Amino acid sequence: MTSTSPPDSPSPPVPRLESFFPPSPVDNEQRLSSNFTDRFLLGSIFAFFGGAVLGGYQGSTMASLRFRAENSHRFPTTTTGWYLYHKSKNYNCMLQAVKVGVKLGSRLAGWTGGFFFLEELVDRWRCKRDAVSSVVAALTLSSIFSLKHGFNLATQVRTTRAGLIASLAYGVTQDVMTLARGRRVGYIDTIFGKHSR
C-alpha cells in the first residue's frame, strides 16, 4: 500500500517593509520605480559590499605595514625563512582584510539603511516624494553621525555639507526622472502654486 503525501501547502508571503508603515497617499508613487523594500535592501547590500572592499583594502594595507614594523628587528636570513615570513604576512593581511572589511561594510550598510528608512518616514509624514525628503533624511543622519563620533564644529559642518550635496544630487536626479515620466513633484507644485493630484 502506497502512502500519498499531502500536497505542499503554499508558504505564507514574506511581509514587505511597507506593511510596517500606516497607509499613506504616497503608497502609489515610488522612487526610482522601486518600492521601499527593494530600495532598502539593495542599497544596504551595495553599501555593504562597497564598504567591505574599501575596508578590506585598508585592513590589508595596515596589517602589512604593522607586520613589517613588528618584525623589522628579526628579518629572516634564509630562503625558507623568507618563505615563512611572507606566508605569515599574507595570512595576517588576509585575516585583517576580512575583519576590517566586514566591520566597515556592516557600518556602511547600517547608515545607508538608516538613510532610506528616514527618507521613507519623511515622505510619509509630508505625503510627498521629492528631493526635500532626501535632504531632510541626509541632514538628520549626518547630524546623528557627527554627534555619535564626537566631531568638532568644523568637522560637523564638513560632514553636513557632504550630506547636503550628496542628498541634493540624489533627490534632484529622482525628481528629474519623476518629471520625465509625467508625474508631479511636490516642491515644484508649491513654488508655482499648483495643486498636487
Side-chain angles (χ1 to χ4, degrees), residues 35-102:
N35 57 41
F36 168 65
T37 302
D38 295 339
R39 286 194 320 275
F40 181 85
L41 293 177
L42 285 174
S44 299
I45 288 170
F46 281 123
F48 175 81
F49 283 115
V53 168
L54 293 173
Y57 176 76
Q58 180 188 21
S60 175
T61 303
M62 293 304 294
S64 174
L65 295 172
R66 189 180 306 113
F67 187 88
R68 182 174 174 85
E70 289 173 353
N71 293 283
S72 62
H73 64 287
R74 51 180 177 179
F75 280 137
T77 56
T78 64
T79 304
T80 305
W82 277 109
Y83 169 78
L84 294 173
Y85 172 86
H86 285 294
K87 184 177 179 182
S88 298
K89 178 179 156 190
N90 290 340
Y91 172 78
N92 193 20
C93 289
M94 283 190 296
L95 184 64
Q96 288 303 313
V98 170
K99 281 183 179 178
V100 177
V102 168

Side-chain angles (χ1 to χ4, degrees), residues 2-197:
T2 60
S3 62
T4 58
S5 60
D8 292 336
S9 60
S11 59
V14 177
R16 300 191 67 81
L17 293 176
E18 288 89 348
S19 63
F20 296 107
F21 293 108
S24 171
V26 296
D27 286 338
N28 297 327
E29 300 173 6
Q30 301 300 336
R31 290 179 176 270
L32 302 175
S33 298
S34 61
N35 57 41
F36 168 65
T37 302
D38 295 339
R39 286 194 320 275
F40 181 85
L41 293 177
L42 285 174
S44 299
I45 288 170
F46 281 123
F48 175 81
F49 283 115
V53 168
L54 293 173
Y57 176 76
Q58 180 188 21
S60 175
T61 303
M62 293 304 294
S64 174
L65 295 172
R66 189 180 306 113
F67 187 88
R68 182 174 174 85
E70 289 173 353
N71 293 283
S72 62
H73 64 287
R74 51 180 177 179
F75 280 137
T77 56
T78 64
T79 304
T80 305
W82 277 109
Y83 169 78
L84 294 173
Y85 172 86
H86 285 294
K87 184 177 179 182
S88 298
K89 178 179 156 190
N90 290 340
Y91 172 78
N92 193 20
C93 289
M94 283 190 296
L95 184 64
Q96 288 303 313
V98 170
K99 281 183 179 178
V100 177
V102 168
K103 183 178 178 182
L104 186 60
S106 300
R107 287 172 53 193
L108 196 56
W111 287 107
T112 303
F115 168 76
F116 285 118
F117 185 78
L118 280 174
E119 185 183 50
E120 184 71 12
L121 279 179
V122 176
D123 281 344
R124 289 175 176 274
W125 177 66
R126 295 178 59 237
C127 297
K128 296 176 183 177
R129 290 191 190 275
D130 52 32
V132 175
S133 299
S134 302
V135 169
V136 170
L139 292 180
T140 303
L141 207 64
S142 64
S143 299
I144 294 171
F145 183 82
S146 297
L147 290 173
K148 182 181 182 301
H149 290 88
F151 292 158
N152 60 26
L153 185 60
T155 308
Q156 286 180 17
V157 170
R158 198 164 45 245
T159 304
T160 303
R161 185 170 54 230
L164 176 64
I165 292 169
S167 63
L168 270 175
Y170 172 72
V172 170
T173 301
Q174 290 183 84
D175 292 346
V176 168
M177 293 172 65
T178 300
L179 289 170
R181 287 195 298 267
R183 289 165 46 192
R184 289 182 153 170
V185 175
Y187 62 88
I188 292 178
D189 287 347
T190 303
I191 290 171
F192 293 103
K194 298 178 183 177
H195 296 290
S196 58
R197 30 169 208 165

